[in-house]
Amino acid sequence: MKNQQEAVLAALLNTAVDAIIVMDSVGIIRIVNAAMERMFGFSEAEVIGKNVSMLMPSPDHERHDGYLSKYRSGGQRNIIGIGREVNGRRKNGTVFPLHLAVSELKYDGEVLFTGILRDITDLKKAQNDLAAINAVLEQRVEERTEQLREAQSELVKKEKLATLGQVAGGIAHEIRNPLNAVKTSAYFLQHARSLSPEKLTEHLQRIDRQVSVIDNVISALTDVVRMPAPQCMPCPLKEMIDAAIEASSLGDSIQIDNRVADSLPPVFADQNQVPIAFQNLIRNARDAMPSGGRLTLDAEIIDADGNTQTEPNAVAENSKKTRAIGNSKKMSVTIADTGSGIDSERLSRIMEPFFSTKARGMGLGLAITKTIVEKNNGTIAVESTLGKGTRFCIVLPIAEEDNTDNTQH
C-alpha cells in the first residue's frame, strides 16, 4: 500500500502543470518535478542537493539563507505560508516572474518546505500591455478632453462675437438713420448761400431731435445691461395696471377689458420698474392692433404647479408689515391682444435685444421688460397665433401679510 501511495504521489508530482520543489530546513533541494525542469532549464541531477537560492536572482539569492534562519529561530515569515510574486532565474540567466506558494510539512521527524511555482510571464505581459493601453487611452482621453475644452472655448467666443455682432448691428441700424439726418442738416447749414432764420431753426431742431434719438438708443441699451437692483416692496397690482393703461394712449379703437380685481393681494416688486414692464406690453399690444381690437388684462393667484387659487387674500392694510410671501403662491398677470400675432420663428427671438417685429422701433422694449421681470424675481412667457393675437404672462411674488404688529392689547 505504501509503495502504491508513493507511486501515485510521484505520478501527481511529475504530471503537475506547476513546478514543485521540496527542500529541507536549510534550503537544500530534495525533490523536483518535471515542470520545474522545463521551467528553469535545469535537470533534476543539476539541482538535487543544491541550495534553492540557485534558482533566485539577486538580491533574494544572497538573502534566502537569512530568511530561513530567521524563520527557524523566531518564526518570522517572508514567503512561507504566504503566496506572493517573486522572480526566478533560469539556467541561462534570464529572470522571469513567478507566483510562489510555500508550505511547511513534517516527514519522518524532519521539517521540509514545499514550494509550488507558476510562471506568470504571460500574465505580467498582459498586465503590462493593458497598463500601456490604459496609459495610451488616458492620454487620448486627456487630449480629446483638451480639444473639447478648446472647442467649447472657441464656441463661447463665437457665440459672444455673434451676440456682439447682433447687438452692434442693431445699434448701427438704430443710430445710422439719425446720424444721416444730422449729417444732411449739417451739410445744408455749412453750404447754404442764403439761409433764412426759419431754415436755420428748422435744421437745428432736426439735429437736436436726432441727437435725442441717438441718446435714447444708448440709454435704452444701458437700461438693459445695467438695470439697477430693484427696491422691492408691497405694490398694489390694480393701481399699477390702471396707471400703465392710462399712460399707454390706447385710443378709442381698442376695447379694454380690465379684469384685474381690487381685492388681489399686493405683489412684492419695485414700484418704479414693474410698471415699465406693464406699459411696454400694453403698448406692444396697441401697436399690434392698428385697426383696433380687444386688450384683455387679468390676474390670479397660482400655486407652484400653476393652478389657480380661489378666494384671494385681501389687500394688506397700510398699518400691516408685508414681505415677500414665504410659500409657493405667486401672482400671474396676463396681457392679451387680438392683433396680428407672431409666427413661431420670430416668437422665439422677440425678447432678444434689437430684434423687433415692427417696421419702426429699436427692439429693446421686450428685452427691457424681460430684464425687469427677472430682476424682480419673476418670470415672463409668451404665446401667439398668427391672425388671432398674442398673450404675455408675467408671474411675480406676492407680498405676505404679517399681523404681528397689530396684536390687540
Side-chain angles (χ1 to χ4, degrees):
M1 179 64 71
K2 183 177 180 180
N3 291 337
Q4 184 179 1
Q5 290 177 342
E6 289 178 350
V8 171
L9 289 175
L12 290 174
L13 188 69
N14 286 310
T15 57
V17 175
D18 294 331
I20 299 175
I21 300 173
V22 179
M23 62 182 182
D24 62 20
S25 60
V26 293
I28 302 302
I29 299 174
R30 297 284 189 89
I31 301 171
V32 296
N33 68 346
M36 176 271 165
E37 295 180 273
R38 291 191 299 271
M39 185 179 294
F40 286 89
F42 288 103
S43 67
E44 181 180 10
E46 289 176 304
V47 297
I48 295 297
K50 304 289 179 64
N51 195 296
V52 72
S53 62
M54 69 179 292
L55 305 177
M56 304 174 187
S58 296
D60 290 333
H61 175 79
E62 294 81 12
R63 296 175 180 174
H64 185 261
D65 289 344
Y67 297 155
L68 288 176
S69 176
K70 288 179 181 179
Y71 178 70
R72 289 195 303 270
S73 61
Q76 181 178 347
R77 300 186 175 198
N78 285 72
I79 294 179
I80 298 169
I82 305 171
R84 59 178 287 188
E85 290 185 13
V86 297
N87 287 323
R89 183 178 63 184
R90 294 189 176 95
K91 183 178 180 179
N92 61 10
T94 59
V95 176
F96 65 105
L98 292 165
H99 182 272
L100 171 63
V102 179
S103 59
E104 180 183 356
L105 63 92
K106 292 183 179 180
Y107 184 77
D108 287 342
E110 185 181 8
V111 175
L112 299 175
F113 298 102
T114 302
I116 300 177
L117 306 96
R118 175 170 297 174
D119 187 344
I120 56 174
T121 300
D122 292 340
L123 175 62
K124 298 300 290 185
K125 182 178 182 301
Q127 290 176 343
N128 292 335
D129 290 346
L130 182 59
I133 292 172
N134 284 338
V136 172
L137 287 176
E138 288 176 3
Q139 179 64 28
R140 289 181 179 177
V141 168
E142 182 62 31
E143 290 173 357
R144 294 294 183 269
T145 301
E146 183 60 30
Q147 290 173 359
L148 286 174
R149 290 195 193 101
E150 292 175 358
Q152 184 181 28
S153 177
E154 188 65 24
L155 180 61
V156 170
K157 289 179 183 177
K158 289 181 179 179
E159 288 178 348
K160 288 182 177 178
L161 287 174
T163 302
L164 180 60
Q166 178 187 355
V167 173
I171 294 173
H173 174 75
E174 295 299 330
I175 292 181
R176 186 175 290 113
N177 287 338
L179 280 178
N180 286 336
V182 170
K183 184 177 181 180
T184 301
S185 291
Y187 181 85
F188 176 82
L189 293 175
Q190 286 175 339
H191 296 86
R193 293 184 178 179
S194 57
L195 188 62
S196 66
E198 293 79 8
K199 279 293 182 181
L200 175 61
T201 301
E202 177 187 342
H203 284 279
L204 288 176
Q205 289 177 345
R206 178 184 296 175
I207 290 173
D208 182 68
R209 286 195 305 271
Q210 299 307 318
V211 169
S212 296
V213 170
I214 295 171
D215 183 63
N216 289 338
V217 172
I218 296 172
S219 297
L221 182 61
T222 303
D223 288 342
V224 174
V225 177
R226 296 190 305 177
M227 179 70 64
Q231 302 298 315
C232 293
M233 61 183 67
C235 300
L237 181 62
K238 174 69 170 175
E239 290 183 15
M240 289 195 296
I241 292 292
D242 289 345
I245 293 172
E246 185 177 353
S248 299
S249 304
L250 296 178
D252 297 332
S253 63
I254 295 178
Q255 182 180 353
I256 302 170
D257 186 6
N258 185 359
R259 304 174 184 174
V260 179
D262 287 312
S263 59
L264 289 170
V267 294
F268 197 73
D270 188 302
Q271 62 180 351
N272 296 316
Q273 291 181 3
V274 171
I276 295 173
F278 290 149
Q279 289 173 29
N280 286 341
L281 295 182
I282 292 171
R283 288 169 181 169
N284 275 359
R286 175 198 65 193
D287 295 342
M289 300 182 290
S291 301
R294 176 186 293 272
L295 173 66
T296 304
L297 304 100
D298 204 352
E300 59 186 2
I301 300 172
I302 60 173
D303 60 19
D305 298 322
N307 299 317
T308 302
Q309 300 292 293
T310 58
E311 299 297 331
N313 297 327
V315 179
E317 298 176 3
N318 292 334
S319 60
K320 297 177 181 178
K321 291 175 61 178
T322 55
R323 57 185 173 84
I325 195 164
N327 57 32
S328 59
K329 294 180 181 179
K330 303 284 185 179
M331 182 70 72
S332 173
V333 183
T334 58
I335 299 174
D337 64 64
T338 57
S340 55
I342 307 168
D343 63 72
S344 57
E345 183 177 351
R346 292 192 295 172
L347 189 65
S348 62
R349 299 187 56 197
I350 60 171
M351 295 188 195
E352 295 177 5
F354 295 109
F355 182 84
S356 178
T357 60
K358 304 174 185 177
R360 299 177 60 86
M362 290 184 290
L364 288 174
L366 286 177
I368 292 173
T369 299
K370 183 174 184 290
T371 301
I372 288 174
V373 171
E374 291 178 349
K375 281 185 175 291
N376 281 266
N377 301 311
T379 60
I380 182 170
V382 58
E383 56 187 32
S384 185
T385 304
L386 276 176
K388 293 186 178 180
T390 302
R391 179 179 180 271
F392 282 90
C393 179
I394 291 178
V395 176
L396 293 169
I398 294 175
E400 183 185 34
E401 296 182 5
D402 187 345
N403 298 318
T404 57
D405 288 352
N406 291 322
T407 304
Q408 297 295 323
H409 298 287

